[in-house]
Amino acid sequence: MSALITFDHATLGYGRRVVLSDLTFEIPEGDFLGVVGPNGSGKTTIVRAILGTLKPIAGGVTRIPQLRFGYVPQRDQVDYSFPLRVVDVVMMGRYDRIGVGRRPRPEDRERAMAALEAVGIRELAMDQLAGLSGGQKQRTLIARALVGEPNLLVLDEPTTGMDLVATTQILGLVRELHERRGLTVLMVSHALNEIANYVTRIALVQEGRFRIGAVDEIVTERTLSELYGIPVEVDSIAGHRIVVARRGPAVLKPDRDVAAGGHRGA
Amino acid sequence: MLDAILLFRDALYGTLVIAFVCSALGVYVVLRRIVFVGASLAQMSTLGIAVSFWLAGVGVAGVITTRPIVLSLLATLLGVVFFSAGMKRARIPPDARIGVAYVVAGSLAVLFIAKAAAGEAHDIFLQGNILGITRGDWLVLLGVTVPVLLLHVVFYKEFLFISFDQETARTLGYRVERWTLLLYLTIGLSIAFAMQFAGLMLVFDFLVLPAVTGLLMARGMSGVFAWAIGAGLTAAVIGFSVSVPFDLPTGPAIVAVSGGLVMVAWVVRRIRAR
């Protein structure tokens, strides 16, 4: 599989403030990668570097020329006071294809309807976005990302603020899109337990430390305990991995190599 | 009554042009939550006019004193650049910067006009001089607002996208900062020209109240624009028609009608929601 995106000793940050340094990894075609870390750890910084809206301070981030993103922002980043219908919001995903100053064509509308069909809310096309439930709003934003026919789908905290049912449905939908369409997916979340059972690879970001690998390799008691600096237990319930922090004082120190942040993945 | 209105028909045409363009652009002003950017731009435009009067009073001759629009436009465009660029990078919260610009520009305008020998009354900044609009004035207004509105028709989806979801627009290759600057420029340009005649209060009214009426009444973006423009024009016609024969100040009369329309729209919305 060829790499869609390659981080080559990239240092990321804002101005002089370094958030993550010396990142080296690839996102190959067909990957289903979860980027996990607490709020403020640098997940969104990585996403911005991937999307090209943040240039690395040092090193390089390269993308294949024909790469098209389908971006699903955090739900609260969208302004729901705009009186927009669901289909109009989805159509925005094709605006760059339609061209500046041009009007959407019937074909664009058909594709928007097809995208809504793919996420299971075609019947809501003419409804107001603001009137939808959290899960339906998220499906609308996923449909908007799909309608641009991307080869990399990027989702930023897609399940924040959702209940268990909606979370399961959205993550199931994303996995289905990955499996059925062979879509490369990058999903950002602060909830390791939520996405560890869906993605095939995980990148963990914690206080400037970064580690990436297959889920089986990363979601282990030793690796997680090293990364988080507290004893962590990994259990399995009904075939699902559950990660819990053990009670008691921290006994493990972060691995120095891990702390340096320079890890080769992919 | 009709005779009185016909006597000021050029003023009415000018008011309708201002109402149309400000009500349309006001939809973005309200939805983007930049209502006070609009107010601050209007204040900066006022400052430009005040400086022009003051310079005329101290004997400076030339286009900047014979045509206050020149300095008004310059001050407004400086405000546009100030508000559209670097708002996120600054350490001071955006609303505080807007507040600083509003109050400083307003105070300076009062200070300059207080020392202006041109003899303009202070309340011209609040009420404008809408009845003084001539045929030449409203043709100039039309000449400015038609291109602005055409620009908005052509780039409707671009202005909508960068207003609704900047981050996603950016990922699709939109240069959000440039589009934002263009949007602000069109708003600033309209404000600067409208301020020459309508005054601070009426311009602010047309930028906010009709859009609020539109948002209360309509369910889609095109409906919001239609209702906003309709509300702006209705307020202008009714306010004008009432003020002229009854010798009321025209600007406040239009604002009062705009406020009434907002209340009616709010009641209609409540009834619909039941």
Side-chain angles (χ1 to χ4, degrees), chain A residues 77 79 99 103 128 144, chain B residues 33 153 157 165 167 219:
Chain A
Q77 204 172 288
D79 191 339
R103 292 269 172 268
Q128 292 284 306
R144 184 179 67 172
Chain B
R33 297 177 171 83
V153 170
K157 77 177 196 306
D165 184 358
E167 196 67 22
R219 282 175 56 84

Side-chain angles (χ1 to χ4, degrees), chain A residues 191-202:
Chain A
L192 178 60
N193 276 322
E194 272 181 14
I195 67 168
N197 293 294
Y198 290 88
V199 299
T200 54
R201 291 202 310 149
I202 281 189

Side-chain angles (χ1 to χ4, degrees), chain B residues 154-174:
Chain B
V154 172
F155 297 126
Y156 166 71
K157 77 177 196 306
E158 284 74 24
F159 287 138
L160 177 67
F161 198 12
I162 59 117
S163 300
F164 174 66
D165 184 358
Q166 288 193 5
E167 196 67 22
T168 305
R170 208 170 265 125
T171 66
L172 290 183
Y174 279 81

Side-chain angles (χ1 to χ4, degrees), chain A residues 48 51 53 68-69 71 73 77-84 89 92-96 98-104 126 128-129 144, chain B residues 28 31-33 152-161 163-168 170-174 179 215 218-221 224:
Chain A
R48 285 184 176 152
L51 295 171
T53 57
R68 277 189 64 83
F69 294 107
Y71 176 60
Q77 204 172 288
V78 172
D79 191 339
Y80 296 102
S81 59
F82 280 66
L84 291 165
V89 174
M92 287 176 179
R94 291 191 66 79
Y95 276 5
D96 64 324
I98 294 166
V100 172
R102 293 177 183 274
R103 292 269 172 268
M126 305 308 283
Q128 292 284 306
L129 179 70
R144 184 179 67 172
Chain B
Y28 288 107
L31 282 173
R32 288 182 65 108
R33 297 177 171 83
H152 273 266
V153 170
V154 172
F155 297 126
Y156 166 71
K157 77 177 196 306
E158 284 74 24
F159 287 138
L160 177 67
F161 198 12
S163 300
F164 174 66
D165 184 358
Q166 288 193 5
E167 196 67 22
T168 305
R170 208 170 265 125
T171 66
L172 290 183
Y174 279 81
W179 282 108
L215 284 165
R219 282 175 56 84
M221 282 302 292
V224 172

Side-chain angles (χ1 to χ4, degrees), chain A residues 209 211 222 225-227 253-260 263:
Chain A
R209 298 188 292 274
R211 186 137 183 190
R222 177 164 181 76
S225 299
E226 281 176 359
L227 196 76
K253 301 247 176 175
D255 185 314
R256 287 290 161 208
D257 290 338
V258 174
H263 278 269

Side-chain angles (χ1 to χ4, degrees), chain A residues 21-101:
Chain A
S21 61
D22 200 23
L23 299 180
T24 298
F25 68 96
E26 292 178 343
I27 301 177
E29 204 177 340
D31 199 4
F32 191 3
L33 174 65
V35 179
V36 184
N39 293 333
S41 60
K43 303 187 298 294
T44 301
T45 304
I46 292 176
V47 168
R48 285 184 176 152
I50 287 170
L51 295 171
T53 57
L54 178 73
K55 289 192 166 39
I57 295 169
V61 178
T62 52
R63 302 163 199 83
I64 59 165
Q66 64 274 31
L67 184 61
R68 277 189 64 83
F69 294 107
Y71 176 60
V72 182
Q74 294 185 26
R75 257 184 315 142
D76 60 4
Q77 204 172 288
V78 172
D79 191 339
Y80 296 102
S81 59
F82 280 66
L84 291 165
R85 292 176 306 181
V86 168
V87 67
D88 296 328
V89 174
V90 174
M91 204 101 80
M92 287 176 179
R94 291 191 66 79
Y95 276 5
D96 64 324
R97 287 184 182 272
I98 294 166
V100 172

Side-chain angles (χ1 to χ4, degrees), chain B residues 79-254:
Chain B
V80 164
V81 174
F82 176 72
F83 289 125
S84 66
M87 290 280 267
K88 282 187 177 172
R89 288 194 293 273
R91 292 178 66 187
I92 308 298
D95 54 346
R97 295 180 72 188
I98 295 164
V100 168
Y102 180 86
V103 76
V104 170
S107 305
L108 285 176
V110 171
L111 290 174
F112 274 108
I113 205 68
K115 287 294 171 188
E120 299 296 328
H122 287 187
D123 64 358
I124 198 169
F125 296 114
L126 291 174
Q127 295 181 23
N129 183 23
I130 208 141
L131 294 181
I133 295 178
T134 63
R135 180 180 163 78
D137 291 336
W138 72 258
L139 284 174
V140 168
L141 278 169
L142 207 58
V144 172
T145 56
V146 167
V148 163
L149 290 169
L150 279 176
L151 205 69
H152 273 266
V153 170
V154 172
F155 297 126
Y156 166 71
K157 77 177 196 306
E158 284 74 24
F159 287 138
L160 177 67
F161 198 12
I162 59 117
S163 300
F164 174 66
D165 184 358
Q166 288 193 5
E167 196 67 22
T168 305
R170 208 170 265 125
T171 66
L172 290 183
Y174 279 81
R175 293 174 182 268
V176 171
E177 284 72 22
R178 289 187 191 178
W179 282 108
T180 303
L181 179 63
L182 183 61
L183 175 65
Y184 278 34
L185 277 174
T186 59
I187 294 170
L189 195 67
S190 305
I191 287 174
F193 275 88
M195 277 296 298
Q196 307 299 305
F197 312 103
L200 185 62
M201 187 166 56
L202 191 53
V203 169
F204 191 57
D205 163 68
F206 281 140
L207 280 174
V208 179
L209 274 68
V212 171
T213 303
L215 284 165
L216 287 168
M217 292 299 293
R219 282 175 56 84
M221 282 302 292
S222 50
V224 172
F225 279 107
W227 274 102
I229 292 167
L233 294 177
T234 304
V237 169
I238 296 175
F240 200 93
S241 306
V242 170
S243 70
V244 172
F246 294 102
D247 195 24
L248 291 167
T250 308
I254 294 173

